[in-house]
Amino acid sequence: MQPSVFTKIINREIPAHIIYEDDDTIAFLDIHGTTPGHTLVVPKRQIDQLWDLPGEEYQRLLSVIKKIALHLREKLGTTRVGVKLMGVDAPHAHIHLIPFTDITEYNNSPSDQVEPDHAALAKQAEQLAMKENE
């Protein structure tokens, strides 16, 4: 299997705005986020589909997702953090966490043709950074 874009981020071959990392998981801002704080949570082991993760790895991932979602909601002051599981944009299991207050924010579809504002994303990642034991 060819390394996915997420594996390349995990291996630091390409940059990302990382907000969380532990031995098994990495979380970083989506460069074409639906809302500020839109985060991708990715298991470090490259497995094509979320449903193919072994039970224990799946449960650890869900535990981390909950921790990050609660952190995003608190730090950003949103009323909700939505979850999207699309499974088609990369051959590597991942979950989108989308902080929002209004459903139109959650349903927003930003263009991936627009150049990301990396300075703003870096500032946001700094604001949202969390430690493994938070």
Side-chain angles (χ1 to χ4, degrees):
M1 177 183 324
Q2 293 289 337
S4 72
V5 67
F6 299 148
T7 296
K8 291 177 182 180
I9 288 171
I10 292 161
N11 293 336
R12 306 304 199 264
E13 295 170 18
I14 59 177
H17 303 284
I18 298 168
I19 67 165
Y20 176 85
E21 185 170 16
D22 63 27
D23 291 340
D24 302 311
T25 311
I26 191 167
F28 48 89
L29 297 176
D30 188 316
I31 60 170
H32 297 290
T34 302
T35 63
H38 180 161
T39 300
L40 296 171
V41 185
V42 182
K44 286 188 173 177
R45 187 158 76 104
Q46 183 174 335
I47 292 181
D48 185 13
Q49 297 183 37
L50 182 68
W51 316 123
D52 293 331
L53 283 169
E56 190 175 300
E57 286 180 57
Y58 178 81
Q59 292 302 320
R60 278 195 312 265
L61 181 65
L62 289 182
S63 176
V64 169
I65 287 165
K66 179 179 179 179
K67 178 171 35 174
I68 294 170
L70 293 172
H71 177 79
L72 291 172
R73 189 176 67 184
E74 177 188 331
K75 287 286 189 178
L76 295 170
T78 60
T79 56
R80 302 203 179 274
V81 176
V83 176
K84 285 189 180 179
L85 304 171
M86 295 178 278
V88 295
D89 43 346
H92 195 137
H94 62 284
I95 295 176
H96 294 255
L97 294 177
I98 304 169
F100 71 101
T101 298
D102 182 275
I103 193 66
T104 57
E105 295 171 317
Y106 180 77
N107 289 327
N108 182 30
S109 252
S111 171
D112 61 359
Q113 302 302 309
V114 176
E115 186 63 31
D117 183 345
H118 287 286
L121 287 165
K123 184 176 180 178
Q124 189 173 74
E126 188 177 315
Q127 171 198 7
L128 296 174
M130 56 190 295
K131 295 181 180 10
E132 184 176 343
N133 56 1
E134 279 190 81

